[in-house]
Amino acid sequence: VTDTQFYLKEYIGFFKSREVFDIQVAKYQIRGFVLDRFAGGEPLIKTLVEHPDWKLSYQDAASLVFTRK
C-alpha cells in the first residue's frame, strides 16, 4: 500500500477488529484474500481463520487463499 491516507483510514481497518473487518469487506465487496504467509499479515490471517464466513481455499509454502463460504 503506497497511499498513506488509504492505509491509515481503510487498510488498517482490516486489522482492528472483526466488526471493522466485516464493514470493510462489505464496503469493498471483497470475496477473497490472497495473502503472503511471511508479509506480516498474521492478524488478518487469524481473523480469517476464526471467522465463520470465510474458509481457507488454498495454501502452499508461501501463500494462503481465503474465500467466502
Side-chain angles (χ1 to χ4, degrees), residues 1-2 4 6 20 25-26 28 30 35 39 41 43-44 54 61-62 64 66-67:
V1 178
T2 58
T4 305
F6 175 80
V20 175
V25 165
Y28 291 105
I30 296 171
L35 303 172
L44 181 54
W54 291 86
L64 303 167
F66 289 89
T67 56

Side-chain angles (χ1 to χ4, degrees), residues 9-60:
K9 292 182 179 179
E10 303 293 332
Y11 183 74
I12 290 293
F14 287 104
F15 303 96
K16 286 184 178 177
S17 70
R18 188 162 136 191
E19 179 182 43
V20 175
F21 171 87
D22 288 340
I23 291 167
Q24 297 293 76
V25 165
K27 179 178 181 179
Y28 291 105
Q29 300 176 6
I30 296 171
R31 296 179 13 197
F33 287 89
V34 179
L35 303 172
D36 182 331
R37 284 183 173 218
F38 307 105
E42 292 86 1
L44 181 54
I45 292 168
K46 183 177 186 307
T47 297
L48 290 163
V49 166
E50 295 174 354
H51 200 293
D53 296 339
W54 291 86
K55 65 179 178 179
L56 179 62
S57 297
Y58 173 82
Q59 66 180 326
D60 61 26

